[in-house]
Amino acid sequence: GRPPPPAASPAEAAMRLDPLVQAEEIFPANCDGRDEEDGPGGLAAVCETVRRSGVDERAREVLIAISNRNILSMLSLYMEGVRRAGVRHSVVVTLDAATTKHVQQHGGVTLAHEHVLRAKGGGTDGHSTSGLKFRLLVPWLKVGCNVLLSDVDVVYLRDPFQSSPPLLHRDSDVEAMTDGWSDETAYGWHMALLAASEPSADDGEALRTPQQAADAAAAAQPPPPRRMLRFWARNSGQFYVRSTSATLRMMRTLARRMASEQVWDQSAYSQEGLWPALGLKGRVGSRVSLRVLSYACFCNTKWFFRHLLNEPTWRHHRPVSVHTNYHPEKQQRMQAIFNHYHVAEGKGDWAALRRWSGTEGSRRACGGGGGGGFRGGREQLLPDEMVELSSRGPWLFHNLPPRTPAQLLAAPDAAGRAGAFAAVRFLPGGGVAVGSVEEEPRALAAAPAGVRARGGAPLVHGGSWSVEGQALRLRLGEEDYTAFRRGRALICARCSDGVEVFARYEGLACNTSGWHRLRPSEAQSGVATTVAGAKAWRWQGRHDFTFHADGRLDTPWHKGVWGVAPERGERFIFARFANIDHLLHVADKSRIESTRCEDGDKVTVSRW
């Protein structure tokens, strides 16, 4: 007979997973199921594919991708990567006969399992197809498979199911790939929003006289910081799910949401991994145990192209997989990664990989309007605004020279890299001030721990700057850069070699010194009548906001005040509630774009 099943590991027992198919039961199981969610042929068809693929009866693990005929070329590259990585149990769930035939002809170890299904609205583009994955996973979980779900824009470089050393922990319902690129962004950090330094009129009553304002300021105790846990999204293009009652509940919930809501599959997936049950909204809660996969093993291309390629200490590291989720040139970057690790066995030309920008497109020399290869999302650079922002805080530059690859090799630890930071302020007349990174309380409260550990004297001194169209021409020390702005970030290309340098604005996004509650003389201005004339606005489309004509503001969290912000232009107002300031751009009569002054976080406010 069969050998006895392995005993549960202490970690698995501690997590109290609730498997749908017990270890002692025959696998695959439930093969006579014929529910609508089981697909054409019911669970019998799934069981037959499981048997043909030779899935191990004890591990019960299979790699599954979903594809249609629109991306057959990329699918071929994906399947060849799976074969070369040594993955033995791989299936593509095909959405049409043409894709089934293609997998049968070119799949190698990968089998086809046809399950014709249409997305809501009938779309066949990538986003529409991606939303089907949760529905398509249900029958595989029901027969007892533990599934590594993968988009086809992933290059596999090692077998993710290997047991020595193990690359999956197998102690949670879900092991999720992350869009993060550091310990803090991947696994979470505690962020604190500090209250505004000036007295607040959040109770809706304006401070009436300067003396009253002074008395209130002297008596007031600063409110405690508002803390939150932040992390980057868990990516729905790659995740490992155990066959448990919790994951089945999660997949069914997500399938229902994809069929009934206008929601991005990744947003819904991240939400369902965290949301609690809430009876008032009819939300049952997935109640899954969740682990985040190592971003250095199950890579996204932001970490791969910005960090792995530029840190010599990572050169000999071979990831398990690289998901080209951050960049539009998916297949070209996939091919470059495939060639380097599979064709050249990791000994390929690093320059062929490093020709790709960390943002978009290929690295570009100076000139041609902007740093890196990024072609979209640029913001207009206004010299006066750059100077005004610099008066409230510096731009924190990373990996500035002379931290060359050779010097990084000589000092590869965090302390050795700290000198790459520099705080840069843009001065009137085209000068720059370069200094050490200051311990600014607001920036430190909002930053991940790894960013707080920065420091050291800057390794460059002096320089100049100018604006030409959308491009910033910058000279720091002996090096020239060309850059463009995107929100609170500057993305720069070093002219000598095309190396990308990134900077982030560390100051407050708003100059709040002249802000006051709306006055009667201001109530008839065009922007004031636009926002106060609407019955209600909705913050992020969910939370009701009301701007009253006397400057009062009603929000779901706290009463506040609002007023005009003429220093930013006639279409700008501010809102202050819960001791936090927001700068609002009134784009038109139905849409407002809000920026939180503390950290630059942006949301949309719309009329209803």
Side-chain angles (χ1 to χ4, degrees):
R2 291 186 301 167
S9 68
E12 185 170 3
M15 296 299 291
R16 295 188 177 88
L17 300 183
D18 182 20
L20 293 172
V21 180
Q22 299 298 322
E24 63 273 11
E25 291 185 71
I26 294 176
F27 170 82
N30 306 315
C31 295
D32 56 351
R34 297 287 300 182
D35 295 335
E36 182 182 356
E37 66 182 4
D38 298 335
L43 294 184
V46 176
C47 290
E48 175 59 25
T49 303
V50 170
R51 295 188 187 101
R52 287 194 299 120
S53 67
V55 175
D56 183 80
E57 293 186 8
R58 294 195 296 176
R60 303 175 178 179
E61 292 175 327
V62 60
L63 173 65
I64 292 181
I66 297 162
S67 182
N68 62 15
R69 64 194 304 166
N70 293 347
I71 50 173
L72 295 184
S73 178
M74 185 183 294
L75 177 61
S76 294
L77 187 58
Y78 163 84
M79 292 188 296
E80 181 61 15
V82 168
R83 185 187 71 81
R84 295 202 184 203
V87 182
R88 291 175 296 172
H89 313 300
S90 172
V91 173
V92 173
V93 176
T94 58
L95 300 176
D96 51 63
T99 308
T100 301
K101 182 178 179 180
H102 183 82
V103 176
Q104 290 170 342
Q105 292 177 342
H106 306 288
V109 298
T110 299
L111 300 182
H113 178 87
E114 189 168 321
H115 186 156
V116 178
L117 190 65
R118 288 285 182 181
K120 179 184 178 183
T124 60
D125 59 280
H127 279 298
S128 299
T129 301
S130 184
L132 298 174
K133 65 184 64 167
F134 310 114
R135 165 75 181 276
L136 295 171
L137 278 181
V138 167
W140 295 85
L141 296 177
K142 290 171 72 173
V143 302
C145 286
N146 303 313
V147 178
L148 177 59
L149 185 283
S150 178
D151 284 352
V152 299
D153 58 347
V154 178
V155 182
Y156 282 89
L157 309 175
R158 299 163 65 184
D159 180 5
F161 300 132
Q162 73 177 42
S163 56
S164 182
L167 302 172
L168 295 167
H169 291 268
R170 300 176 173 89
D171 62 356
S172 307
D173 293 308
V174 180
E175 296 186 45
M177 180 206 157
T178 176
D179 279 350
W181 58 93
S182 65
D183 285 359
E184 292 80 19
T185 54
Y187 311 133
W189 79 94
H190 289 282
M191 176 179 176
L193 291 181
L194 304 187
S197 56
E198 64 270 14
S200 173
D202 275 356
D203 60 357
E205 294 295 328
L207 298 173
R208 299 180 182 278
T209 67
Q211 184 59 49
Q212 288 175 322
D215 292 344
Q221 293 294 323
R226 299 173 183 272
R227 300 188 181 278
M228 64 187 74
L229 178 67
R230 282 198 160 192
F231 49 81
W232 251 244
R234 282 75 189 262
N235 193 289
S236 62
Q238 189 183 44
F239 55 87
Y240 176 75
V241 285
R242 306 284 293 178
S243 173
T244 67
S245 57
T247 56
L248 181 61
R249 179 169 54 241
M250 182 181 186
M251 294 305 115
R252 283 171 168 166
T253 299
L254 286 166
R256 183 172 63 252
R257 290 187 64 184
M258 291 299 102
S260 60
E261 300 178 21
Q262 292 291 339
V263 60
W264 184 27
D265 64 281
Q266 180 154 300
S267 297
Y269 166 74
S270 293
Q271 291 164 356
E272 293 300 328
L274 294 171
W275 275 357
L278 187 60
L280 292 175
K281 292 184 177 292
R283 199 164 67 206
V284 298
S286 296
R287 305 191 292 283
V288 293
S289 57
L290 188 146
R291 176 187 285 275
V292 177
L293 293 167
S294 167
Y295 57 89
C297 293
F298 296 84
C299 302
N300 59 66
T301 43
K302 182 168 186 173
W303 185 81
F304 185 86
F305 283 103
R306 288 195 182 184
H307 297 276
L308 184 146
L309 295 188
N310 294 308
E311 292 278 4
T313 51
W314 285 105
R315 287 291 177 88
H316 301 295
H317 173 65
R318 188 183 185 99
V320 178
S321 61
V322 183
H323 186 185
T324 57
N325 60 315
Y326 266 103
H327 298 92
E329 316 88 7
K330 288 180 178 292
Q331 189 163 343
Q332 297 95 318
R333 291 187 188 240
M334 284 180 69
Q335 190 69 62
I337 295 166
F338 180 94
N339 290 346
H340 182 83
Y341 286 101
H342 283 314
V343 177
E345 290 300 323
K347 299 177 182 179
D349 184 2
W350 282 97
L353 280 176
R354 295 187 70 249
R355 77 179 182 87
W356 291 104
S357 166
T359 53
E360 185 174 331
S362 301
R363 296 177 188 262
R364 300 162 72 181
C366 287
F374 195 89
R375 295 187 291 273
R378 303 180 184 185
E379 296 183 12
Q380 185 177 6
L381 278 160
L382 303 175
D384 290 344
E385 183 182 12
M386 297 296 289
V387 171
E388 197 258 341
L389 287 172
S390 294
S391 70
R392 297 198 298 274
W395 296 80
L396 180 65
F397 277 73
H398 302 254
N399 61 299
L400 282 171
R403 308 306 293 177
T404 63
Q407 290 168 315
L408 280 173
L409 271 177
D413 60 338
R417 291 195 299 270
F421 290 105
V424 176
R425 296 176 187 260
F426 297 93
L427 305 178
V432 297
V434 183
S436 301
V437 179
E438 302 171 3
E439 291 192 0
E440 207 284 320
R442 290 174 179 270
L444 291 177
V451 176
R452 295 193 199 108
R454 63 203 181 199
L459 298 175
V460 295
H461 301 279
S464 60
W465 68 284
S466 63
V467 173
E468 299 177 14
Q470 289 186 318
L472 173 70
R473 309 299 182 192
L474 177 63
R475 184 170 182 82
L476 291 175
E478 301 301 317
E479 296 280 358
D480 292 316
Y481 300 84
T482 184
F484 68 89
R485 180 181 172 192
R486 188 182 184 191
R488 295 170 69 88
L490 287 176
I491 302 174
C492 318
R494 195 161 69 195
C495 295
S496 60
D497 55 11
V499 167
E500 290 176 321
V501 173
F502 302 94
R504 179 173 173 81
Y505 180 60
E506 292 281 293
L508 288 174
C510 321
N511 179 6
T512 65
S513 59
W515 288 1
H516 54 262
R517 177 174 164 174
L518 190 72
R519 294 168 178 165
S521 59
E522 299 164 332
Q524 298 305 312
S525 65
V527 67
T529 56
T530 296
V531 297
K535 178 182 177 182
W537 297 79
R538 279 192 172 158
W539 191 268
Q540 291 185 307
R542 295 192 298 270
H543 310 294
D544 290 350
F545 261 59
T546 302
F547 297 88
H548 295 281
D550 59 359
R552 290 179 297 115
L553 175 66
D554 292 339
T555 83
W557 306 286
H558 208 286
K559 291 187 179 297
V561 296
W562 70 280
V564 296
E567 78 284 353
R568 294 302 302 268
E570 63 180 14
R571 303 302 299 172
F572 286 86
I573 62 174
F574 80 90
R576 178 178 296 149
F577 56 92
N579 285 309
I580 301 296
D581 290 322
H582 302 257
L583 180 67
L584 282 64
H585 173 226
V586 184
D588 52 46
K589 293 182 179 180
S590 60
R591 184 170 58 90
I592 296 174
E593 299 162 349
S594 172
T595 300
R596 189 162 58 197
C597 295
E598 198 69 46
D599 60 355
D601 190 59
K602 297 180 183 292
V603 300
T604 299
V605 188
S606 53
R607 288 183 66 172
W608 63 281

